[in-house]
Amino acid sequence: MTSTPRIRARSFDAAAALYSANRPGYPEELFDALEVLAGRTLRGARVADVGAGTGIATGSLHARGAEVLAVEPGDGMAAEFRRAHPRIPLVRGDGDRLPLVTAGFDFLTYAQAWHWTDPVRSLPEARRVLRPGGALALWWNDMDSTVPWIAEQDERIRDLFAAGGATFRALPAGPAFTTREVRWSRRIPLDAHLANHASHSAFLMLGPAGTREFLDAERARLTALFPDGKVEERYVVTLSVAVL
């Protein structure tokens, strides 16, 4: 399957409610690590959360006491964000052209979103909008492939899309990033686990028929592993922070 990153990123708009309902959140330990690596607290900090989507990370940053502003390009995702977080300000835009004032923010965060940007543009934009000593924080939340059933499922997904590893997540050259991993888990209904997969861009681009065929087969496999209908999903959040 071939598609540009921008087309794949826009695929979320048609599935914003599915995304909001089934994507995992983030553990408090992630934000503890973010504060340590940035060398300052989120409470009272001015934060721009870019590629905010439906506001999963934005809501957590707000709950930590940050003065957070969301940036989101997609119509459907922005509409879902406003329903979920009516009191958090949202502006339309993306990381390559941030609609933000110069030197106005202490943190610039990208939760599952940096790989949709062009670093040739998005890194200078990050430097522009951050105050001196501000932190650029990028993170990705992945299922833990050290768990055998997750590794087997990952292999089936790679085979389906003829995909290799997540090499597109390379950090931008220049800033001195420090990286930490945070492990966590959640226990959810099997239907929610499958719906989470369906909300990913690769499946959204695949289309309903192909997605249904793959997930029906996964349902049969996982029902044997989790006969009570509850799936224990284990995750690793990879957090990289650079103080600019």
Side-chain angles (χ1 to χ4, degrees), residues 229-243:
K230 298 288 187 179
V231 177
E232 181 75 19
E233 291 184 340
R234 284 172 51 185
Y235 286 93
V236 181
V237 188
T238 304
L239 167 68
S240 296
V241 178
V243 177

Side-chain angles (χ1 to χ4, degrees), residues 116-201:
W116 301 123
T117 76
D118 175 1
V120 172
R121 297 179 178 180
S122 56
L123 182 57
E125 280 289 84
R127 293 187 185 278
R128 179 182 67 80
V129 304
L130 283 170
R131 293 167 178 160
L136 173 61
L138 322 177
W139 68 82
W140 287 272
N141 193 29
D142 298 297
M143 292 189 70
D144 186 351
S145 60
T146 65
V147 178
W149 76 265
I150 293 175
E152 292 165 6
Q153 185 180 74
D154 283 350
E155 185 175 359
R156 291 190 293 271
I157 292 172
R158 285 194 298 271
D159 288 345
L160 176 66
F161 296 107
T167 54
F168 64 93
R169 294 183 182 178
L171 298 176
F177 283 94
T178 303
T179 299
R180 295 284 185 273
E181 290 186 347
V182 178
R183 283 176 160 76
W184 69 287
S185 67
R186 66 173 185 167
R187 184 172 170 81
I188 60 171
L190 175 57
D191 284 347
H193 169 77
L194 298 174
N196 176 22
H197 281 299
S199 75
H200 284 254
S201 62

Side-chain angles (χ1 to χ4, degrees), residues 11-244:
S11 70
F12 295 119
D13 280 325
L18 179 73
Y19 188 110
S20 180
N22 297 288
R23 282 294 182 101
Y26 301 104
E28 285 299 312
E29 290 81 3
L30 169 65
F31 302 100
D32 294 340
L34 172 56
E35 291 179 332
V36 169
L37 296 184
R40 65 158 298 162
T41 181
L42 286 163
R43 182 164 297 280
R46 182 79 168 137
V47 180
D49 186 35
V50 186
T54 63
I56 294 172
T58 319
S60 293
L61 291 162
H62 177 75
R64 295 284 293 220
E67 183 184 346
V68 61
L69 170 71
V71 181
E72 169 56 39
D75 293 341
M77 298 294 264
E80 191 67 28
F81 181 101
R82 290 189 173 107
R83 282 191 286 272
H85 304 285
R87 297 180 181 176
I88 298 178
L90 170 71
V91 296
R92 305 299 299 280
D94 61 41
D96 296 343
R97 294 167 297 275
L98 289 170
L100 305 175
V101 300
T102 297
F105 294 86
D106 303 300
F107 289 84
L108 191 63
T109 60
Y110 284 82
Q112 312 274 107
W114 180 261
H115 55 278
W116 301 123
T117 76
D118 175 1
V120 172
R121 297 179 178 180
S122 56
L123 182 57
E125 280 289 84
R127 293 187 185 278
R128 179 182 67 80
V129 304
L130 283 170
R131 293 167 178 160
L136 173 61
L138 322 177
W139 68 82
W140 287 272
N141 193 29
D142 298 297
M143 292 189 70
D144 186 351
S145 60
T146 65
V147 178
W149 76 265
I150 293 175
E152 292 165 6
Q153 185 180 74
D154 283 350
E155 185 175 359
R156 291 190 293 271
I157 292 172
R158 285 194 298 271
D159 288 345
L160 176 66
F161 296 107
T167 54
F168 64 93
R169 294 183 182 178
L171 298 176
F177 283 94
T178 303
T179 299
R180 295 284 185 273
E181 290 186 347
V182 178
R183 283 176 160 76
W184 69 287
S185 67
R186 66 173 185 167
R187 184 172 170 81
I188 60 171
L190 175 57
D191 284 347
H193 169 77
L194 298 174
N196 176 22
H197 281 299
S199 75
H200 284 254
S201 62
F203 284 102
L204 294 172
M205 297 296 292
L206 178 64
T211 296
R212 187 180 309 110
E213 180 181 0
F214 181 84
L215 294 182
D216 283 349
E218 288 302 295
R219 182 187 303 279
R221 293 186 183 99
L222 295 180
T223 296
L225 283 176
F226 302 101
D228 66 350
K230 298 288 187 179
V231 177
E232 181 75 19
E233 291 184 340
R234 284 172 51 185
Y235 286 93
V236 181
V237 188
T238 304
L239 167 68
S240 296
V241 178
V243 177
L244 303 183

